[in-house]
């Protein structure tokens, strides 16, 4: 049996979580998932401004903080902290924690190869809309193939204590140590599906241990000291989800079910670079306090393609808000919205969308929101999105004047005009698997 | 009689681009057939009204006593394009749990 923990569900997650996972009980592998789809464009911009950046900057200081304990306790770290510059990330880890052996997985970054791929007849069509990439080629900021567990296994085989990848799948971080230690092969697709589902359960950190769970949330103990999830994995593909004793939170089959359904598509066809996992085969059993056993998982062979995640400059947006107090707070906010819309129309500005929602009423649930009484206050939240920075900037000047010139009891304008922000959009595509060749570089 | 869906189920929602997913999970295995009968794709689409521009797909996971709904074009463009405060649909699960369903006396 091996213990695999996840200490970061995204870049920005609780900084203490990975430290506590190492300090508060036994684990063999510490996975850290830093990359969301849009994170890649952020790190790409950072790299353009400074060639030594372009990775999750939380990661090297964390490795310095944990360096001694990782070596003493024999814990291996597997992280997609590399972003678009895993080698620079590794150099910074070595600078701050010279005693750690670091291995980097290369090969996911397709940005330098885009024109070559297009010229050789791979259109990188948008999987959702079917459009050719050529329509936005000049605006592309980043392009990365999702790589699976096997390139990470190659890195684990070097004996490194810290494995840094770029755009690998979240589930690969958890699956890789199982493949490495149990000797699973590329055609063991039931086992690969089991390890992939283990990865899905823990990839969002404490969402597997009671965070964001609707079941009896009022009784979930000690959120402030919530334990992050640990998988106790067996060579036959079965595993137990748990957390360190004495930590806060809750692991139960209800909690695990919610996480299994999080961001799920077709449950029979959960496609990763490693396999296709079938979520309708999962069997769960509560086997003790904060212990859920998972077994019975089946899968199918992997597809001939890898998904590519591209990001590109789309345009601009700005979102502003005003607060209106009782009485008739809602009616005042709606009148303010109508005034701004009319003024934007008079100015002849062009937007892709103008969106208004009333926080405190229908912003979250829209048409499904409860009818409501005369509430003490609401916040009007009004945004626009469009290709023209000039038009979006003009919108930002149209909201605040209403404090003096619109319906009464307006407040909450203390931050002034809302900023105009660049909008980077996401473009999913496919590329044949054989186009992606990965390699491992060791920083001893 | 009519009850709120929240009396027999919990739920979790999230996003994939401009598509929200809502997983609805029966607390008790015997209530899963009630979910299958009452919480149809058509009802979910009409419940969210003009939030959902595209189709609603439903998938069944009897092993978990759960249904998974995919609400296409339901997040105002999704991801970074959406101007909504809940651009990732994280609260849509709670909204759906308030939906009324019809159950027979013996079913609870």
């Amino acid at each position: 049996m091996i213990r695999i923990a996840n200490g970061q569900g995204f870049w920005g997650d609780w900084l203490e979580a990975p430290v506590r996972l190492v300090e508060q009980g036994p684990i063999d592998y510490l996975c850290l998932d830093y990359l969301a789809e849009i994170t890649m464009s952020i790190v790409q911009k950072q790299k353009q401004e400074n060639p030594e950046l372009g990775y999750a900057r939380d990661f090297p200081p964390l490795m310095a903080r944990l360096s001694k304990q990782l070596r003493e306790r024999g814990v291996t770290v597997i992280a997609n902290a590399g972003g678009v510059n895993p080698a620079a990330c590794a150099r910074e880890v070595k600078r701050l924690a010279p005693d750690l052996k670091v291995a980097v997985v290369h090969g996911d970054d397709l940005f330098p190869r885009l024109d070559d791929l297009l010229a050789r007849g791979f259109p990188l069509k948008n999987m959702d809309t079917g459009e050719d990439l050529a329509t936005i080629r000049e605006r592309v900021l980043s392009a990365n193939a999702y790589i699976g567990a096997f390139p990470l296994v190659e890195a684990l085989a070097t004996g490194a204590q810290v494995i840094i990848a770029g755009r690998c799948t979240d589930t690969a971080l958890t699956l890789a140590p199982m493949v490495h230690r149990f000797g699973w092969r590329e055609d063991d697709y039931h086992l690969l599906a089991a390890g992939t589902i283990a990865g899905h359960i823990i990839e969002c950190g404490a969402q597997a241990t009671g965070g964001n769970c609707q079941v009896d949330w009022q009784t979930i103990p000690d959120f402030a000291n919530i334990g992050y999830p640990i998988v106790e994995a067996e060579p036959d593909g079965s595993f137990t989800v748990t957390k360190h004793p004495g930590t806060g939170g809750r692991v139960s089959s209800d909690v695990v079910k919610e996480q299994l359904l999080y961001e799920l598509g077709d449950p029979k066809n959960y496609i990763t670079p490693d396999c296709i996992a079938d979520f309708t085969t999962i069997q769960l059993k509560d086997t003790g306090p904060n212990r859920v056993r998972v077994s019975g998982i089946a899968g199918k062979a992997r597809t001939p393609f890898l998904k590519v995640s591209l990001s590109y400059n789309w345009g601009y947006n700005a979102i502003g808000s005003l607060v209106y107090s009782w009485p008739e707070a809602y009616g005042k906010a709606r009148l303010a919205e109508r005034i701004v819309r009319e003024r934007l129309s008079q100015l002849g500005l062009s937007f892709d969308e103008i969106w208004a929602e009333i926080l405190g009423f229908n912003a979250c649930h829209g048409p499904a929101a409860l009818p409501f009484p005369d509430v003490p206050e609401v916040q009007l939240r009004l945004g626009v999105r469009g290709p023209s920075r000039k038009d979006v900037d003009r919108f930002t000047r149209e909201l605040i004047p209403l404090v003096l010139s619109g319906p009464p009891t307006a407040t909450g304008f203390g931050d002034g005009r809302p900023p105009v922000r660049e909008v980077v959009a996401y473009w999913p595509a496919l590329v044949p698997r054989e186009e992606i060749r990965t390699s491992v570089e060791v920083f001893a | 009689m009519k009850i709120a869906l929240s009396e027999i189920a919990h739920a979790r929602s999230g996003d994939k681009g401009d598509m929200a997913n809502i997983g609805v999970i029966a607390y008790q295995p015997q209530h899963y057939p009630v979910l299958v009968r009452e919480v149809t794709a058509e009802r979910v689409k009409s419940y969210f009204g003009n939030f959902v521009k595209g189709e609603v797909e439903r998938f069944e996971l009897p092993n978990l006593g759960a249904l998974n709904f995919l609400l296409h074009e339901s997040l105002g463009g999704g991801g970074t394009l959406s101007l909504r405060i809940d651009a990732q649909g994280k609260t849509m699960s709670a909204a759906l749990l308030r939906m009324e369903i019809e159950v027979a006396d013996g079913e609870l």
Side-chain angles (χ1 to χ4, degrees), chain A residues 210-233:
Chain A
N212 193 25
C213 180
Q214 295 183 351
V215 182
D216 296 333
W217 63 268
Q218 301 91 335
T219 70
I220 290 177
D222 200 10
F223 274 115
N225 294 292
I226 196 164
Y228 272 51
I230 299 167
V231 159
E232 298 175 353

Side-chain angles (χ1 to χ4, degrees), chain A residues 242-255:
Chain A
T242 188
K243 63 189 184 68
H244 283 323
T247 57
R250 176 179 294 151
V251 179
S252 69
S253 54
D254 287 342
V255 171

Side-chain angles (χ1 to χ4, degrees), chain A residues 262-279:
Chain A
Y262 183 62
E263 294 183 348
L264 182 65
D266 176 356
K268 284 182 182 292
N269 292 290
Y270 184 91
I271 300 170
T272 76
D274 302 304
C275 64
I276 299 175
D278 183 349
F279 278 50

Side-chain angles (χ1 to χ4, degrees), chain A residues 311-331:
Chain A
S311 65
Y312 66 101
N313 273 321
W314 184 91
Y316 305 90
N317 76 15
I319 300 168
S321 66
L322 283 176
V323 169
Y324 287 91
S325 87
W326 183 92
E328 295 181 68
Y330 177 75

